Amino acid sequence: MGKVICCKIILIVIFVTSTEGNVQGRKENIEKSLQIIHEVAIKSFNILCAGKDYKPLSVTISTVRFDSARQKADLAATLLQDLGVAHHNGLQDAIAKNLLVSESSVLSARVLAINASSGYLANTAWWQRQGVELEGPKKIEKSISLEPGRRIHYPWYEDPDTSPSLRSPKFMEGPLNVTYKGWWTFPYYSCSARRWLMSYSVPIPPPPGRRGLKGFLSLDIDISHLEVNQCEKTIQNRQNEISVFHGTHKCHNTTSRCIYGAHILPKWSRGRYQCVCRDGYYSPHHGGIFNGTLVEVAWQQKEENITDTWDLIFECKKCEPGCHTCIDQSPCLATYNWPFRITLLVFSVSCAFCTMILNIFMFKHKRLKVFKVASPIFLSITLFGCATMYLEMAAIFPVLDTYSCIATKWSRHLGFCITYTALLMKTWRVSLTYRVKSAHKVKLTDKQLLQWMVPILLVMLIYLGTWTVSDTPTAEDILDNEGLRFKQCVYNWWDHSLAIGEVLFLAWGIRVCYNVRNAESLYNEARLISYAIYNIAIVNIMMIAFHLFIFPRAGPNIKYFLGFIRTQLSTSTTITLVFGPKVFRVLRGQGDQWDNKARSRGVSASFSLNGIGLVPEEAPDLYQENEELKEEIQKLAAQIEFMKIVHMEVNNRHLKPKTGGYFSSVNAPTVIHNPSAKTGGCLLAKAEDL
């Protein structure tokens, strides 16, 4: 078993080694061929053809485009083999001429009769196009290039020492799974024709059992119209491009790309392309566009260790980070002032942490009247929303991407919705109780308000979730005043729709606050919440104006600072207005005392942001109930006393009003009406005056 594994490993190593050797050899052949093409293109004719009449390449070219000529040659060779080439000189001449006439790409056609034993030429029929270097129709004439009695040394003829069954090195390998009757030569430059040619040769052996003359048929195909494109193969490549040369350019692939089309050069030329710097790269030389011929020469000099021009001149330099295109090393990205941003972030996170501490402090003292009458559950929800809005500064702190944009949208809008809705629900309850004209008490518990609040938060959650899943917020590049680029979250119709909804929500909250502007409450909480709601609306409107009109192209640091200012002015101010007086009273030891100033204006102990006639969800407070019963008894006693005096006055009209008394027209007391104790307070004042 071990021997088998070792043998397999050895075979794999041999296969890989041979494959690598074949690839390396193929690259060397391509480079040699490109060098020959370069010499043909730049050297004068006399120097080029002084030594040899042919300049063969060693690369394989697809011959599919010439299949029509090949099939005709195969058919003609079969005919000559059947009839024999020894006794049909006229037939040989006719076949060669018709092969030339039938195909426009054929430059010359010939049928040879060769002595099978000596290899000398016996006779020939050779037709070719004259004036091939001229444009337009070519004259077809019979050639006298070959003379009988001489050996043949042409690219299209097999070596004298090989037989028709063996492959000569001057012929290309045929396609896999395809059998040709003849062989294609490698491309070569013909000095006599001054063109690039390929020849198809078909040997015609003598009839079986007979010796004497053997036949040979060949066609010369003009391939000068093909193009040497050294750039990578693309969909736009034309059919007349030689695919074997694709990807042989000498551009620095990592920093530049090859663009084919230097039409000032012949089609068969090395370096018929340009090297152009890729996006994100630049070159101080030649504007980042290099001639392919110069690049080829520089690369060859580098290979020969002559100069390093190929690396020094023709390699593009990387632009500064964030630059899609550039012409020098100027920055393209806006600079982030990280110490400044970290300072603002630490302060915002500290505020969020203090908010949580304040929440713990409130729950620890939730039985104190200053917190109890203000619905601790709604105060806790408000603090949670404020902490969420503070965390927006953490979401927009780094260089924005998809995840930070999602966190930004959620923290900003969800935090606003939680905070604003909690405050508005309490104010709305005051508005409902304040507008009641009947003696019946409105009972709105915290549980009932939460049932109204949950659908609002649910709508916001559904909207944000749908937004995140269907059209995930992403970051886009924008420019600041200096043309430097930085990331900002995309604003689209999702943002605009939500902004319109929040503006309408703010408008409704302002209307509710306006309705309760004269309402009296314990600890003056209704008015403070109204101020907080007004502040939220004003701050958001001002920040929108700053972003759109005053600083439309502000840099990332200014935008971060504006976000910090907005958060502090809206969130910190809200916490200060709503919780500041309460915490101050608790620290002074007055958290469990009634607001005597409000009570002096006729505000009952039950009139607060917890509602009038609130049904407590906890055990009843006997002290509070006793206080409320005393107030009701005082109201009833004042009403009874007032009715007694009124009836006595009606039935005894001879009695005159006491000077300075209640019924005196001169010194009639001014009665202050209170919305919560409208009747009882007035009657009490009248009774005391009497």
Side-chain angles (χ1 to χ4, degrees):
M1 185 66 181
K3 293 181 179 179
V4 174
I5 296 175
C6 291
C7 292
K8 289 183 178 180
I9 294 174
I10 293 173
L11 290 175
I12 292 173
V13 171
I14 293 173
F15 175 76
V16 172
T17 305
S18 61
T19 303
E20 292 178 352
N22 292 336
V23 173
Q24 184 65 27
R26 181 172 175 270
K27 290 182 178 179
E28 291 178 357
N29 290 336
I30 292 176
E31 291 302 326
K32 291 179 181 177
S33 300
L34 288 173
Q35 182 62 31
I36 294 173
I37 292 173
H38 180 64
E39 292 176 356
V40 171
I42 65 173
K43 288 186 176 180
S44 64
F45 180 77
N46 294 330
I47 298 176
L48 177 67
C49 298
K52 295 183 179 180
D53 294 335
Y54 304 100
K55 299 293 182 181
L57 306 181
S58 54
V59 293
T60 301
I61 295 180
S62 175
T63 59
V64 176
R65 57 173 64 89
F66 309 120
D67 271 353
S68 176
R70 179 191 60 79
Q71 292 171 2
K72 293 178 181 179
D74 289 345
L75 182 61
T78 303
L79 179 62
L80 290 173
Q81 183 177 0
D82 293 339
L83 299 177
V85 297
H87 308 291
H88 298 86
N89 293 337
L91 179 62
Q92 298 172 13
D93 195 69
I95 288 177
K97 182 177 181 181
N98 280 279
L99 286 175
L100 182 63
V101 173
S102 62
E103 291 290 335
S104 60
S105 60
V106 177
L107 190 63
S108 61
R110 64 193 68 84
V111 178
L112 309 180
I114 305 169
N115 190 299
S117 58
S118 64
Y120 284 99
L121 180 65
N123 57 66
T124 179
W126 187 329
W127 287 81
Q128 69 179 13
R129 302 178 191 273
Q130 296 297 325
V132 294
E133 72 280 357
L134 303 176
E135 296 295 333
K138 309 298 186 299
K139 183 180 179 181
I140 299 176
E141 295 181 352
K142 191 171 183 179
S143 176
I144 55 173
S145 300
L146 293 180
E147 298 178 359
R150 58 174 293 187
R151 285 188 177 272
I152 307 170
H153 300 285
Y154 284 90
W156 41 262
Y157 185 65
E158 62 176 339
D159 293 334
D161 299 330
T162 61
S163 65
S165 61
L166 299 178
R167 179 58 53 88
S168 171
K170 61 175 67 173
F171 296 109
M172 297 189 304
E173 291 288 338
L176 297 176
N177 303 323
V178 178
T179 302
Y180 291 162
K181 190 173 181 64
W183 305 319
W184 284 100
T185 66
F186 285 102
Y188 62 92
Y189 181 78
S190 174
C191 289
S192 59
R194 298 192 180 184
R195 287 178 175 268
W196 286 96
L197 305 176
M198 283 180 63
S199 298
Y200 181 70
S201 302
V202 184
I204 307 172
R210 299 176 62 180
R211 302 184 64 182
L213 295 178
K214 65 178 181 179
F216 192 86
L217 183 148
S218 69
L219 302 175
D220 294 340
I221 306 296
D222 184 8
I223 60 174
S224 297
H225 65 284
L226 301 181
E227 299 181 14
V228 178
N229 184 357
Q230 295 179 248
C231 296
E232 282 78 8
K233 186 176 182 179
T234 61
I235 301 177
Q236 292 77 20
N237 288 132
R238 291 167 287 187
Q239 295 182 352
N240 61 341
E241 294 178 0
I242 304 175
S243 60
V244 71
F245 293 114
H246 285 315
T248 61
H249 62 86
K250 303 306 183 296
C251 300
H252 289 269
N253 268 332
T254 56
T255 63
S256 60
R257 65 181 186 274
C258 177
I259 297 179
Y260 177 69
H263 302 296
I264 59 175
L265 297 176
K267 294 181 179 180
W268 280 75
S269 299
R270 186 184 69 173
R272 198 169 185 259
Y273 59 85
Q274 289 180 331
C275 296
V276 181
C277 291
R278 295 181 181 272
D279 293 341
Y281 293 87
Y282 78 98
S283 175
H285 309 287
H286 309 288
I289 302 175
F290 310 112
N291 186 287
T293 304
L294 299 179
V295 176
E296 293 280 344
V297 173
W299 182 84
Q300 186 173 355
Q301 291 177 348
K302 179 191 175 183
E303 291 293 309
E304 297 173 356
N305 294 324
I306 298 176
T307 62
D308 291 334
T309 306
W310 189 71
D311 291 323
L312 299 176
I313 303 297
F314 300 108
E315 183 176 10
C316 300
K317 302 180 182 298
K318 189 173 181 59
C319 298
E320 289 296 308
C323 295
H324 299 314
T325 59
C326 63
I327 58 175
D328 51 28
Q329 290 185 334
S330 300
C332 295
L333 292 181
T335 303
Y336 286 71
N337 190 339
W338 294 112
F340 173 72
R341 297 169 73 92
I342 291 174
T343 302
L344 300 185
L345 176 63
V346 170
F347 188 85
S348 298
V349 173
S350 301
C351 290
F353 184 71
C354 293
T355 303
M356 295 296 100
I357 295 177
L358 181 59
N359 202 354
I360 297 172
F361 177 83
M362 182 200 66
F363 267 97
K364 183 179 179 181
H365 301 87
K366 66 179 181 179
R367 294 188 178 275
L368 298 180
K369 293 182 176 64
V370 70
F371 288 123
K372 189 173 184 178
V373 299
S375 299
I377 184 65
F378 281 94
L379 294 178
S380 179
I381 293 173
T382 302
L383 289 174
F384 177 75
C386 291
T388 305
M389 287 195 290
Y390 278 128
L391 294 179
E392 181 191 351
M393 297 302 298
I396 63 176
F397 171 76
V399 178
L400 296 177
D401 56 9
T402 299
Y403 298 104
S404 56
C405 286
I406 294 174
T408 300
K409 307 296 183 183
W410 278 79
S411 58
R412 176 183 302 170
H413 298 294
L414 187 60
F416 166 80
C417 184
I418 293 174
T419 303
Y420 188 74
T421 305
L423 295 176
L424 189 57
M425 287 293 102
K426 296 173 67 175
T427 310
W428 183 58
R429 178 164 56 186
V430 174
S431 175
L432 291 179
T433 57
Y434 178 65
R435 290 181 297 173
V436 173
K437 302 299 182 182
S438 63
H440 179 70
K441 294 182 179 181
V442 177
K443 297 180 180 180
L444 288 176
T445 64
D446 289 348
K447 184 177 180 180
Q448 290 173 320
L449 285 184
L450 286 174
Q451 291 175 350
W452 283 94
M453 183 178 179
V454 167
I456 298 175
L457 297 179
L458 187 61
V459 170
M460 178 61 74
L461 289 173
I462 293 174
Y463 187 91
L464 292 175
T466 305
W467 183 2
T468 303
V469 173
S470 63
D471 188 11
T472 305
T474 57
E476 63 177 352
D477 289 331
I478 63 172
L479 301 179
D480 61 6
N481 293 322
E482 298 178 356
L484 301 179
R485 192 167 58 253
F486 65 97
K487 294 288 186 179
Q488 177 178 278
C489 295
V490 175
Y491 287 91
N492 50 26
W493 68 272
W494 288 92
D495 296 270
H496 304 326
S497 301
L498 189 55
I500 293 173
E502 290 177 348
V503 168
L504 296 177
F505 199 27
L506 278 171
W508 179 54
I510 292 174
R511 182 176 180 275
V512 172
C513 293
Y514 182 79
N515 291 336
V516 299
R517 64 189 183 281
N518 295 324
E520 297 289 348
S521 63
L522 291 174
Y523 308 111
N524 205 23
E525 190 171 20
R527 183 169 298 174
L528 293 176
I529 290 180
S530 298
Y531 290 159
I533 293 176
Y534 293 150
N535 176 72
I536 291 174
I538 293 173
V539 168
N540 281 275
I541 293 173
M542 288 179 58
M543 287 299 108
I544 291 175
F546 270 99
H547 281 288
L548 294 181
F549 304 108
I550 301 178
F551 300 109
R553 300 186 63 183
N557 298 318
I558 296 179
K559 285 187 176 292
Y560 193 73
F561 180 69
L562 291 177
F564 174 79
I565 294 297
R566 178 180 58 80
T567 303
Q568 294 300 321
L569 290 181
S570 59
T571 308
S572 299
T573 303
T574 299
I575 294 176
T576 302
L577 289 173
V578 176
F579 295 91
K582 295 179 177 57
V583 174
F584 183 70
R585 290 182 67 91
V586 172
L587 295 178
R588 292 181 60 185
Q590 301 176 356
D592 209 28
Q593 298 179 8
W594 292 113
D595 187 2
N596 294 327
K597 185 177 180 181
R599 288 172 60 86
S600 67
R601 294 193 297 268
V603 180
S604 64
S606 63
F607 188 82
S608 66
L609 292 185
N610 254 344
I612 297 178
L614 172 66
V615 179
E617 298 177 359
E618 302 176 355
D621 190 343
L622 297 179
Y623 177 79
Q624 181 176 350
E625 289 186 356
N626 290 334
E627 291 292 327
E628 292 179 354
L629 289 174
K630 289 179 182 179
E631 291 179 358
E632 294 296 329
I633 292 172
Q634 290 177 358
K635 292 177 185 178
L636 292 174
Q639 292 176 4
I640 293 172
E641 186 68 23
F642 176 74
M643 294 302 297
K644 284 173 58 180
I645 296 173
V646 169
H647 283 289
M648 182 179 65
E649 184 70 22
V650 171
N651 297 326
N652 300 278
R653 295 185 178 279
H654 60 282
L655 296 177
K656 294 182 179 180
K658 181 180 178 181
T659 303
Y662 176 77
F663 295 100
S664 175
S665 59
V666 178
N667 297 319
T670 301
V671 180
I672 300 175
H673 298 276
N674 185 276
S676 63
K678 187 174 182 179
T679 305
C682 295
L683 295 178
L684 183 62
K686 295 176 184 177
E688 290 177 352
D689 191 26
L690 291 174

